[in-house]
Amino acid sequence: MEPSSLSMPFCLALLFILLSLFCLTAMKKKPSSPKLPPGPPKLPIVGNLHQLTNHPHRALRDLALKHGSLMYLKLGQIPTLVVSSRSMAEALMKTHDYNFASRPSLTTGNHLLYNCTDIAFAPAGAYWRTIRKICVQELLSVKRVESFSAVREEEVGRLVRAVESSEGAIDLNKLFLSHTIDVICRVAFGRRYDEGGPSEVERLFRERTVLLGGFNFGDLFPSVEWLDLVSGLRRRMRRAFEEIDEFLEHVLEDHRGGTAETQNQRDLVDVLLQLQKDASLDLPLSDQNLKAVLTASSLSPSLSLSLFQISNRTVWWWEFETINSNSLKG
C-alpha cells in the first residue's frame, strides 16, 4: 500500500489526538466552581420552585431543618441563598453587611417604584443613604410620629364606631385595610380620600400591592422576560403606575399651591417639599424621588421576607424567631 493512501486516516487520527489533548488541557485550566452551601436536588428549568408549595414559609422551614441554616436553592434561573437562623442572619447583616447590603432589581419595582428609588428597594449607595437619613431623622423620628397621635386616635375612634354601628356581618379585613389607608393618607398627604364612597386611593394601593406580590417571569426566568409582555402584565403595570403617578402629582401640586388640608400641622409631603429646597442635602431630590418615598409609606409593614442581592446572586433572608418546628404545621 502506498504512503499516499495512509495520509488521510493518519491525519484524522492525529487531529483527533490533538483535539483530545487540547480539551483535557482546557478542562484542567478551567477554574473550579465555588463551593456552594448544601441544598435539595433541583429540577430542570424550574429549579426548586416546585418545593415551595402554597406555603413557602413552611416549605423553607422544613427544608432548613433538613439542609441547615445556610441553604442553596435555584428559583427558576436565579441562584438563591436562604438563611434561616438568627446567628447566620446576624453574620450576613452585620459582619458581612457590605457584601449583602443591596436589593434585587425587581421587574415590578422598576415599573411601579420609580426604578426602585424608594426606601425599600433602592440599591445600597449614596442615594439610599440619603433617603434613609431623611426617613430616620425627618419622616419617622419619634417627634414626628408623636405629632400624629391625634390623627391615629381619631381614626381608631372612627373604626370602633363603624364596628358598633354595623348590624350584620363585618368584613374586618376590608375594614382594617380602609382604616390603615385613611391613617396613611392623613399622615402623608394631609387628608382622607374616601369622601362619598370607597376610596380611589385604596383601589390604587390595592392594585399596586397585588402587582408587587404577584408572579412575573422576568424575575425568575430572565431569559424569557418577554412573556410578561405577552401575558399583559407589563401593560397592567404601566397603567397602574400612570394612575398612581397622576395621583401623586396632584398631591404635590396641591401642597405647592397651598390648597391641601393640613389641619394646622405639616404632613409628610410638606416635610419632603421643604427638604427638596434644602441645599445642604448630599443629593438633590427630584419630584420623582419624592413620589418614590411617598409610595413607600403605603407598603405593607407585615412583609416578613426581606430581599437582598450580592452581585449576580439573590439572597432571600427569612429569620425564624425561635419558632417551635411544630407550631406552624396547623
Side-chain angles (χ1 to χ4, degrees):
M1 188 176 293
E2 297 182 4
S4 59
S5 63
L6 297 175
S7 59
M8 183 59 69
F10 177 79
C11 291
L12 291 175
L14 181 61
L15 181 61
F16 176 78
I17 293 174
L18 291 176
L19 288 175
S20 300
L21 292 175
F22 176 80
C23 292
L24 290 174
T25 304
M27 292 177 61
K28 289 182 178 180
K29 291 183 178 180
K30 183 179 180 180
S32 58
S33 58
K35 186 177 180 181
L36 298 173
K42 303 176 289 294
L43 289 180
I45 302 177
V46 298
N48 300 106
L49 281 176
H50 66 289
Q51 294 173 304
L52 298 186
T53 67
N54 293 329
H55 302 284
H57 59 294
R58 299 179 184 178
L60 289 175
R61 177 205 59 194
D62 295 339
L63 289 173
L65 292 175
K66 183 177 180 180
H67 299 283
S69 59
L70 193 63
M71 179 174 55
Y72 177 79
L73 300 179
K74 195 74 175 294
L75 301 183
Q77 297 176 337
I78 306 299
T80 307
L81 185 66
V82 178
V83 181
S84 55
S85 72
R86 180 184 295 274
S87 59
M88 196 64 69
E90 183 178 6
L92 265 66
M93 299 302 108
K94 296 181 67 174
T95 307
H96 302 284
D97 175 67
Y98 178 81
N99 293 326
F100 291 90
S102 195
R103 283 86 169 156
S105 179
L106 301 179
T107 302
T108 49
N110 287 325
H111 282 78
L112 300 178
L113 301 176
Y114 297 88
N115 292 320
C116 292
T117 53
D118 66 311
I119 184 64
F121 290 95
Y127 173 79
W128 180 82
R129 288 191 294 270
T130 299
I131 297 299
R132 178 180 179 273
K133 180 180 178 181
I134 289 174
C135 289
V136 172
Q137 296 184 0
E138 299 290 344
L139 302 182
L140 302 178
S141 64
V142 174
K143 182 178 180 181
R144 186 76 61 191
V145 172
E146 290 179 348
S147 70
F148 292 106
S149 59
V151 172
R152 295 192 297 272
E153 292 174 1
E154 182 179 339
E155 292 300 326
V156 169
R158 291 182 71 249
L159 175 65
V160 172
R161 289 191 296 272
V163 173
E164 290 178 341
S165 62
S166 178
E167 298 180 355
I170 303 174
D171 187 347
L172 289 179
N173 182 52
K174 182 178 180 180
L175 198 62
F176 286 145
L177 176 62
S178 298
H179 164 73
T180 302
I181 292 178
D182 287 341
V183 173
I184 289 172
C185 287
R186 291 190 61 184
V187 170
F189 310 137
R191 53 166 291 193
R192 287 199 305 269
Y193 289 85
D194 60 347
E195 294 84 353
S199 171
E200 179 69 10
V201 178
E202 179 178 335
R203 183 189 68 82
L204 294 177
F205 286 169
R206 187 190 294 271
E207 174 71 359
R208 191 198 58 183
T209 302
V210 169
L211 289 172
L212 284 173
F215 171 80
N216 59 81
F217 287 96
D219 290 337
L220 297 178
F221 304 94
S223 62
V224 292
E225 61 178 352
W226 51 268
L227 289 176
D228 291 331
L229 184 62
V230 176
S231 67
L233 179 62
R234 293 288 181 90
R235 182 171 60 255
R236 184 179 175 185
M237 288 191 292
R238 183 171 60 252
R239 182 170 61 249
F241 170 77
E242 290 173 352
E243 292 177 341
I244 294 173
D245 183 72
E246 182 180 2
F247 165 73
L248 293 175
E249 185 65 32
H250 286 317
V251 170
L252 293 180
E253 290 177 359
D254 289 344
H255 282 72
R256 287 194 175 108
T259 58
E261 301 175 13
T262 57
Q263 298 182 350
N264 298 322
Q265 71 175 9
R266 295 197 307 164
D267 54 47
L268 300 188
V269 176
D270 293 323
V271 177
L272 288 173
L273 288 176
Q274 183 179 3
L275 290 171
Q276 191 180 41
K277 302 175 183 178
D278 189 352
S280 64
L281 282 179
D282 298 333
L283 291 174
L285 296 177
S286 66
D287 282 0
Q288 287 215 346
N289 297 149
L290 301 190
K291 295 175 187 177
V293 175
L294 290 172
T295 59
S297 66
S298 59
L299 285 174
S300 172
S302 62
L303 202 59
S304 57
L305 188 64
S306 303
L307 300 179
F308 298 88
Q309 183 177 25
I310 171 175
S311 62
N312 64 334
R313 290 189 182 179
T314 304
V315 179
W316 284 32
W317 169 52
W318 189 292
E319 182 180 358
F320 295 105
E321 300 253 18
T322 58
I323 298 178
N324 187 326
S325 61
N326 295 321
S327 63
L328 294 178
K329 290 190 181 294

